Amino acid sequence: MSVIILGATGNVGRHIVRALLELGGSLVTQIVACTRQPLSGPAMALKAAANFSRTRLCLAKVDMMTSDVDSLAAILSGHEVVVLVMAQGLSPEEMVGCQKEVAEALSRGMDKKEKQPSGNAPLLVKLSSYGIDGPLSQGPLGDAHRTGEDLFRSKNLPFVSLRPTSFFSNFEAYDWPSLRAGGRVIRSPLGPHARVNWVACQDIGRVSAAVIKEHLETLGNGRQASIPVFRKVDVVGPEGNTLSAPEMCRVVGKCLKKEGKGRGDVEREVRYEETPLPTTEAYRGLWTFLRAGGFDVADGPGSESGRLLGGKAMTGFRDYIEGLVEGMGEAETRGLPLN
Ligand SMILES: NC(=O)c1ccc[n+]([C@@H]2O[C@H](COP(=O)([O-])OP(=O)(O)OC[C@H]3O[C@@H](n4cnc5c(N)ncnc54)[C@H](OP(=O)(O)O)[C@@H]3O)[C@@H](O)[C@H]2O)c1
């Protein structure tokens, strides 16, 4: 069975590919990884990761910003699962446009009865964000996710909304470079009191693959997929990953202790500095949501993602930082080889 991934080379997409490859090839026989640049380093790294797998990996050149509905419909047809990961840097308007196009392309396939060999419409697995329909507004970015999801529902497209909290890759992109260079300050508009839960992109990839596996197994058993038209799965790190900015500084400082100048294990003191809210409306909305505790949650026993992972725990923030300090955490950084 075939899975196509839009956004396959990104922070999360690349881990979805890897987790699908780890399933072993009898269920997922083909992965189509979409990218704007099939010859780029991240695209080649996906190809290399599939070298020793029984799953065939093909790269497809797709630019969500310029492709029209007809060509997208052609690319998305013939797969059992379509995964949609929209790039972090898209504006809310671009996110809505992108989801409209995917919704239109998929519903054209359904209208034409271009269904899968199994007789089912493809399952759309969409990377969304935690709490987008909760009591706190996430601002224009969260609204853009919700608008798209309302559209998928209105068109009766079967889909799963995966809703993670803050990615480890944010830390790696924004905070780690200066800390790695010897810095002692973490800056953000979060403020000293709000707490944010952190989740590994690798774990989001594992949960995505588990959702896909569950669906394909149902199809493989010759049953009509029993997925509801709409399902949401929160993907949240464990309790120890829910940290205020000063708590995060302490964890990071402890992990950097071996770099201290004193005898043996001296902690590097890392302090927090609050910065003003961003001026752009979208990011201002997001940080206001975070400051109000929008991601102040933790994975608990019996969570759906825990069940999907067969009880295997999500990665701890401290373990992740220790991995980074030991120089092993680069797998979270886009563009570096997967293994
Ligand atoms: N960061 C967080 O903490 C967080 C938390 C919750 C939810 N989310 C959601 O997660 C999603 C982002 O996931 P991600 O970080 O994995 O994505 P990403 O790495 O930013 O982007 C995924 C891929 O999209 C392609 N891309 C980049 N810019 C593009 C553009 N302008 N037009 C078309 N394609 C473009 C790139 O592939 P090529 O260059 O190969 O084409 C990129 O590898 C967003 O929807 C965000 O709302 C993020």
Side-chain angles (χ1 to χ4, degrees), residues 30-103:
Q30 172 177 267
I31 298 171
V32 178
C34 299
T35 169
R36 293 166 301 169
Q37 303 174 78
L39 295 177
S40 68
M44 287 294 119
L46 294 182
K47 251 331 219 181
N51 270 349
F52 301 102
S53 166
R54 287 197 292 135
T55 303
R56 197 162 77 101
L57 187 134
C58 319
L59 297 170
K61 189 167 165 40
V62 178
D63 187 334
M64 289 297 299
M65 294 299 109
T66 56
S67 67
D68 58 81
V69 176
D70 284 333
S71 55
L72 194 61
I75 288 164
L76 298 186
S77 83
H79 309 279
E80 276 71 22
V81 179
V82 173
V83 180
L84 172 60
V85 183
M86 287 181 290
Q88 189 70 48
L90 298 191
S91 68
E93 296 73 25
E94 287 171 328
M95 284 171 67
V96 171
C98 171
Q99 291 170 103
K100 272 190 183 155
E101 202 146 303
V102 170

Side-chain angles (χ1 to χ4, degrees), residues 7-13 34-37 40 62-65 85-90 95 127-130 145 164-167 169-170 295 334:
T9 58
N11 295 311
V12 169
C34 299
T35 169
R36 293 166 301 169
Q37 303 174 78
S40 68
V62 178
D63 187 334
M64 289 297 299
M65 294 299 109
V85 183
M86 287 181 290
Q88 189 70 48
L90 298 191
M95 284 171 67
L127 188 71
S128 183
S129 184
Y130 181 86
H145 275 298
T165 49
S166 185
F167 300 177
S169 58
N170 295 339
F295 279 179
R334 204 170 85 193

